[in-house]
Amino acid sequence: MGSGPGTHGTTTRLAPFGTTIFTTISQRAAARNAINLGQGFPDEDPPQALIEASIASLQAGHNQYAPMSGIPELRQAIANDQARRGRERWHPDHEVTVTSGATGALAAALLGTLEHDDEVILFDPAYDAYPALVAMAGAHARRLAPPAPGFRITRDLIEKAITPRTRMIVLNSPWNPTGRVLDDQELADVSDCCIKHDLICVSDEVYERLVFTRPHRSIGSMPGMRDRTIVISSMGKTYSCTGWKIGWACATGTLTSAIRAAHQFLVFSVPVPLQKAATRALNDYGTDWDLSLSASYGTRRDLLLEGLTSAGLEPIAPEGTYFILADITGLGDDDDHAFCDRMLETVGIAAIPSSVFTEGGLGMKSMVRFAFCKPQALIQEALDRLSRLTPRIRGDVR
Ligand code: PMP
Ligand code: GLN
């Protein structure tokens, strides 16, 4: 591994992050032929009409570069979709950018706006790409940890972390992995801090349609926030096509210029046929689709919640996303990595140790994340297997 000038290898900015947990766990699940409730990807296909739209686009000769900012009809569809759901109105030409998934939008947002040594507030447990992207931008993550199981974000928590170098807050609601959907008070607290300290808010809303208890509200719609928020989302969760990697960032012209300054050199543009299919999705699959999606995931959420409880775990009911965090101490375990190893090896179920989402991997050692974006029968099969996982006798050497 490279460690400085004259050596060749991973930059010191990225070396601490190693290989993502999602890659590691999915590889291990495949090798063990386990049920993969780790990496969050649905087993089902997107609607057939969307697949046909992308095939038709390939056959119609849409095989060359797209415009850097995205095809005009998709940018328009994104703007319309935001407006339809009562969000901010974004100008499709100057305020919407199509990216390589939400990941590409996050990368362009951070790399396009941050200065070296800026500080970025993240809330733990945080999606693993955030600290890595902060590091890539040469900035510093200031990680705050709202206490489990409520994971409430408060003004006090944020205020204590603000320094003259604080430049940005990254928010994720619905929140992977906690399942929280931030309420109006939390959004007001974050907004007030952003306005008072002149901060940019990057709002990752990829699970915006997957809500069970209260509707998701974008912080970009809070008073005074439009000019300082970058709203990010993608196709993957909403239309069950995580492999398509079509995402977007909506922000005012000044922020959009910054996003595009990075996006043009990261990937330049993303596949036209999939942008065509995304246009079709946003135009044709609206409120009814959103409702049936939440209903279908709601059933699976309840099934997994009940099964995890019966198996002796203590799950936290998610308000959104397709993930459940569960406390493992009831099964005699206190180390999430050891528990995930034990569960994978003995009963063939893969899940994500949640400490990977915390600073230095040190927090949340007693919690594990299970995904329920799987068919009910597969979730049931996983639960049957889980019921055979015997409690660990404390002091066991494994
Ligand atoms: N943000 C969060 C919170 C996620 O869970 C994920 C993963 N699905 C992403 C961003 C990445 O989204 P995409 O696959 O569209 O790049
Ligand atoms: N967002 C997905 C999850 O949290 C994983 C995405 C990825 O593998 N990069 O499970």
Side-chain angles (χ1 to χ4, degrees):
M1 198 189 310
S3 58
T7 57
H8 300 284
T10 306
T11 167
T12 48
R13 287 193 303 283
L14 284 175
F17 298 98
T19 301
T20 81
I21 192 71
F22 306 115
T23 298
T24 309
I25 293 288
S26 281
Q27 281 175 350
R28 289 186 57 197
R32 169 71 176 71
N33 203 18
I35 297 176
N36 191 352
L37 305 185
Q39 188 180 29
F41 60 90
D43 278 16
E44 59 232 64
D45 278 333
Q48 190 59 28
L50 306 187
I51 293 173
E52 280 161 15
S54 61
I55 295 170
S57 168
L58 286 165
Q59 287 173 334
H62 296 296
N63 297 306
Q64 310 308 330
Y65 293 126
M68 183 270 276
S69 58
I71 60 173
E73 60 265 46
L74 177 54
R75 284 187 275 105
Q76 182 70 61
I78 292 164
N80 291 349
D81 176 66
Q82 293 270 325
R84 174 178 72 78
R85 287 183 294 124
R87 308 289 185 74
E88 286 306 293
R89 293 187 176 271
W90 304 106
H91 192 290
D93 295 340
H94 317 299
E95 299 186 322
V96 179
T97 307
V98 178
T99 57
S100 180
T103 311
L106 287 162
L110 271 64
L111 295 170
T113 58
L114 291 174
E115 298 294 347
H116 200 78
D117 283 341
D118 277 351
E119 290 176 14
V120 178
I121 291 180
L122 306 180
F123 298 102
D124 278 0
Y127 182 56
D128 67 345
Y130 305 156
L133 288 168
V134 170
M136 275 192 231
H140 303 284
R142 185 79 172 81
R143 303 183 67 159
L144 310 183
F151 301 106
R152 281 197 69 77
I153 293 175
T154 62
R155 183 193 310 251
D156 264 12
L157 189 69
I158 301 171
E159 284 289 352
K160 283 189 196 126
I162 304 271
T163 77
R165 294 228 58 103
T166 310
R167 182 84 191 293
M168 177 184 283
I169 295 181
V170 178
L171 205 62
N172 174 214
S173 178
W175 182 354
N176 173 14
T178 66
R180 285 291 324 284
V181 175
L182 301 188
D183 64 26
D184 287 355
Q185 183 59 56
E186 293 172 292
L187 295 177
D189 280 7
V190 177
S191 301
D192 288 352
C193 293
C194 286
I195 293 165
K196 179 171 162 201
H197 300 284
D198 193 18
L199 310 179
I200 299 170
C201 183
V202 169
S203 181
D204 177 348
E205 306 182 10
V206 296
Y207 299 97
E208 58 190 325
R209 327 279 183 114
L210 297 185
V211 286
F212 310 112
T213 54
R214 72 171 74 88
H216 159 69
R217 184 168 176 199
S218 173
I219 193 163
S221 311
M222 297 294 287
M225 287 303 287
R226 187 185 192 278
D227 288 353
R228 55 179 69 255
T229 304
I230 300 175
V231 175
I232 288 174
S233 193
S234 72
M235 291 280 291
K237 325 318 177 193
T238 307
Y239 299 104
S240 303
C241 56
T242 58
W244 288 14
K245 298 298 289 186
I246 299 291
W248 50 86
C250 301
T252 56
T254 308
L255 284 172
T256 290
S257 296
I259 292 164
R260 291 181 185 175
H263 168 73
Q264 64 183 340
F265 297 125
L266 282 170
V267 290
F268 184 73
S269 65
V270 300
V272 181
L274 299 176
Q275 292 196 55
K276 294 273 186 194
T279 308
R280 178 80 184 268
L282 291 172
N283 286 341
D284 292 358
Y285 293 79
T287 311
D288 290 350
W289 176 261
D290 297 354
L291 291 175
S292 69
L293 189 77
S294 284
S296 153
Y297 277 124
T299 309
R300 294 179 255 180
R301 161 191 180 264
D302 294 347
L303 175 67
L304 185 58
L305 273 175
E306 201 181 304
L308 290 174
T309 309
S310 304
L313 300 177
E314 204 180 318
I316 302 172
E319 299 163 321
T321 78
Y322 45 47
F323 302 114
I324 294 178
L325 280 180
D327 193 288
I328 56 176
T329 37
L331 283 183
D333 287 85
D334 51 17
D335 181 295
D336 57 345
H337 283 276
F339 178 82
C340 287
D341 287 350
R342 187 164 90 84
M343 187 169 61
L344 184 67
E345 295 309 328
T346 58
V347 292
I349 304 167
I352 303 289
S354 51
S355 59
V356 299
F357 302 115
T358 69
E359 185 156 30
L362 296 173
M364 295 187 64
K365 295 297 288 178
S366 70
M367 286 201 187
V368 164
R369 192 196 79 175
F370 293 87
F372 54 89
C373 43
K374 303 291 159 189
Q376 281 192 49
L378 196 63
I379 295 174
Q380 189 56 59
E381 162 69 19
L383 291 172
D384 293 345
R385 292 185 188 193
L386 191 61
S387 66
R388 297 197 287 274
L389 187 69
T390 49
R392 186 174 76 95
I393 312 297
R394 281 182 198 279
D396 265 5
V397 180
R398 291 182 312 279

